[in-house]
Amino acid sequence: MQIIQDIFKEYDIRGKIGKELNIDIAYKLGRLFSYKTVVVAKDNRSSSKDLLAHFIRGLLNSGCKVLELDGISSSPLLYFASFHLKTKGAVMITGSHNPLEYNGLKFMAAQKPFYGDALKRLIN
């Protein structure tokens, strides 16, 4: 499964569910974002549960320890958890302010935003 580069935005990865972003891409991104310990969370979109499950499977298959925030979360809660738990990575599955047919992933590395060229290097 090839990852469509158009889903890589400056501060996150996002796309239309089933067309640009799907569970296979979520799994591949999990395999690529391999840090020792990663905390993950999801919002309340119907597609977030499956995206998160496959992203976690990718992380686990790359040897990461995964800490999942239970239930529905927000980005600020994930950021707090990353600092409190001192994780090397953090990922939020969220469509944020986008229409319901979209979803995405927001990343942190070493308690700092993971964006721009660093984000694009995930697939290079």
Side-chain angles (χ1 to χ4, degrees), residues 66-77:
V66 177
L67 305 172
E68 181 181 355
L69 299 185
D70 193 29
I72 296 169
S73 296
S74 64
S75 296
L77 182 59

Side-chain angles (χ1 to χ4, degrees), residues 4-110:
I4 302 167
Q5 292 203 12
D6 290 348
I7 66 174
F8 283 73
K9 309 304 181 193
E10 184 65 18
Y11 291 97
D12 59 7
I13 294 172
R14 66 180 178 275
K16 283 188 175 182
I17 291 299
K19 294 184 182 195
E20 301 164 325
L21 182 59
N22 58 43
I23 58 174
D24 294 329
I25 292 172
Y27 171 79
K28 189 170 187 178
L29 289 169
R31 291 286 310 219
L32 295 171
F33 190 73
S34 56
Y35 283 83
K36 185 176 179 179
T37 305
V38 180
V39 61
V40 296
K42 68 180 181 334
D43 69 7
N44 64 343
R45 290 180 185 241
S46 60
S47 57
S48 293
K49 182 179 179 183
D50 287 340
L51 288 176
L52 181 62
H54 285 81
F55 184 79
I56 288 172
R57 189 167 55 89
L59 289 172
L60 292 172
N61 287 343
S62 68
C64 295
K65 178 181 178 184
V66 177
L67 305 172
E68 181 181 355
L69 299 185
D70 193 29
I72 296 169
S73 296
S74 64
S75 296
L77 182 59
L78 177 79
Y79 303 153
F80 171 80
S82 177
F83 278 91
H84 182 72
L85 300 169
K86 297 178 174 68
T87 62
K88 296 294 181 188
V91 177
M92 179 73 193
I93 308 293
T94 179
S96 188
H97 62 281
N98 294 291
L100 290 178
E101 65 268 17
Y102 287 84
N103 210 332
L105 300 92
K106 291 182 180 180
F107 295 81
M108 287 179 68

